[in-house]
Amino acid sequence: RAPKRRLVAAAGVALAGLGIAGAADREAVHTLFESIDTNSDGKLDLEEYLAYARSKLEERLFPLEDSDRDRILGACERAFLAADIDGDGALSEREAEFADYLLVNAKGTHSSTDAEEIPEDEFNLESFKQMHAEKDENKDGVIDKDEWMKAMRETAHNWGWEGFVDEDPEMVEWLDNLFQRADVTDDGSMCPKEVQYTAYMGERMRKRGAFADRTLANQILGEYDKNADGKIDMSEIEEGVAQWNNKREQLKEEDPEAESQPERKSIVEKLRDFFADADTDDDKALDRFELARLSKRIMTEEL
């Protein structure tokens, strides 16, 4: 019997080409979806979906036992049914992506077709039902855009994006697109499954580095804004570099063969240039948004 952990990975790999674990952009997802949609009706029925899953399993370097293959295909079928948000018996492109998220994030190991060994809440839906009920402030049974944005402001704190959600045009546009993409039924609101889809997509993008410059800006602000004025001046940045340099020297003493790092002087000189470029209002201090400009340069250019 194959190890449970390997079976989990296999289940995730079964549809790795759709969304979360495969295609890099929307066009690539659409192209792949069309190749799986063999009758070209714009949706995937269960037969098409499982046929693709079988083809992916056949591509594995090490063949699976028949029993393991059946268990994985069973997980794929359950993901198909769970992702059919509109209940029409087929998956749209967005629902097919959601099925992928469910497979990769499933609680269960899918290690047996025995119902007793499959977690009752295999795809974590109960936790999202509870979240949906908590965020549905007017108790109308759905989460509208305003309720969703309020929830995202709370989530932004955990993701290191606080202070940007409402005022950063790029982030506002990204969140709007995220809402529209997860609103599979196109009714302007979220059911629990759509909330779950939103959470998975958002977390995926965050892990891929979405708005990492905003996250770094908030980290800098939180750690080095000594006078708590919501801004960072060059002296506070230099103090931060000095602290980093001291830590580096300590590590060097502990490990003389550690890779050498740029000298503090050269780092400060570069940061002064970065600072001047980011200080768009020329007030000799960087607010949260200017710090994001500085952070982007730190992340993309060698200090």
Side-chain angles (χ1 to χ4, degrees), residues 6 17 28 59-60 64 82 106 117 130 132 144 159 166-169 181 198 220 223 250 256 259 263 277:
R6 182 170 65 80
E59 293 173 4
R60 288 175 55 83
L64 292 170
E117 295 192 32
Q130 181 178 350
H132 186 277
D144 60 29
W159 287 353
D166 291 310
E167 299 181 42
D168 185 331
R181 181 129 202 97
T198 302
I220 294 172
E223 188 166 353
Q250 291 175 5
E259 184 178 350
E263 292 300 318
D277 178 66

Side-chain angles (χ1 to χ4, degrees), residues 23 48 99 121 124 136 155 237 239 248 255 260 269 288:
E48 291 170 324
D121 187 22
N124 307 286
D136 178 19
T155 301
I237 288 180
E239 183 180 345
R248 185 194 69 168
D255 183 6
S260 62
E269 288 174 352
R288 193 184 307 272

Side-chain angles (χ1 to χ4, degrees), residues 119-172:
E120 184 176 348
D121 187 22
E122 180 179 21
F123 297 124
N124 307 286
L125 186 56
E126 287 303 318
S127 62
F128 285 95
K129 285 182 178 178
Q130 181 178 350
M131 181 191 301
H132 186 277
E134 292 171 355
K135 304 305 179 185
D136 178 19
E137 294 185 348
N138 61 6
K139 306 304 177 186
D140 63 352
V142 297
I143 292 179
D144 60 29
K145 183 72 172 292
D146 290 339
E147 291 169 329
W148 183 79
M149 282 300 297
K150 184 175 181 180
M152 286 307 300
R153 290 185 197 100
E154 298 171 0
T155 301
H157 179 79
N158 298 326
W159 287 353
W161 296 349
E162 63 271 24
F164 288 102
V165 172
D166 291 310
E167 299 181 42
D168 185 331
E170 186 178 344
M171 184 171 287
V172 169

Side-chain angles (χ1 to χ4, degrees), residues 51-210:
Y52 177 66
R54 292 188 189 96
S55 72
K56 295 300 291 183
L57 291 177
E58 289 171 1
E59 293 173 4
R60 288 175 55 83
L61 181 61
F62 302 104
L64 292 170
E65 297 287 340
D66 288 345
S67 57
D68 293 340
R69 183 186 305 272
D70 290 343
R71 291 164 187 154
I72 293 167
L73 291 175
C76 291
E77 182 173 355
R78 294 191 297 276
F80 177 98
L81 296 173
D84 182 15
I85 294 174
D86 59 12
D88 66 351
L91 301 185
S92 65
E93 187 174 308
R94 285 181 286 175
E95 288 173 325
E97 281 191 282
F98 182 41
D100 235 10
Y101 282 98
L102 292 176
L103 282 172
V104 173
N105 291 280
K107 283 183 182 177
T109 62
H110 315 305
S111 59
S112 172
T113 53
D114 186 342
E116 292 183 359
E117 295 192 32
I118 299 171
E120 184 176 348
D121 187 22
E122 180 179 21
F123 297 124
N124 307 286
L125 186 56
E126 287 303 318
S127 62
F128 285 95
K129 285 182 178 178
Q130 181 178 350
M131 181 191 301
H132 186 277
E134 292 171 355
K135 304 305 179 185
D136 178 19
E137 294 185 348
N138 61 6
K139 306 304 177 186
D140 63 352
V142 297
I143 292 179
D144 60 29
K145 183 72 172 292
D146 290 339
E147 291 169 329
W148 183 79
M149 282 300 297
K150 184 175 181 180
M152 286 307 300
R153 290 185 197 100
E154 298 171 0
T155 301
H157 179 79
N158 298 326
W159 287 353
W161 296 349
E162 63 271 24
F164 288 102
V165 172
D166 291 310
E167 299 181 42
D168 185 331
E170 186 178 344
M171 184 171 287
V172 169
E173 181 181 5
W174 181 81
L175 289 170
D176 185 62
N177 289 336
L178 180 62
F179 182 90
Q180 292 183 38
R181 181 129 202 97
D183 180 18
V184 174
T185 53
D186 293 317
D187 62 358
S189 63
M190 294 273 175
C191 69
K193 288 184 180 180
E194 289 168 322
V195 169
Q196 185 176 18
Y197 186 19
T198 302
Y200 286 164
M201 285 195 296
E203 182 66 12
R204 174 201 182 192
M205 293 302 295
R206 186 189 68 82
K207 288 180 177 179
R208 286 188 169 189

Side-chain angles (χ1 to χ4, degrees), residues 284-297:
K284 310 305 180 185
L286 303 185
D287 62 20
R288 193 184 307 272
F289 295 91
E290 291 170 324
L291 273 171
R293 286 172 58 90
L294 175 74
S295 298
K296 182 170 288 188
R297 290 199 65 180

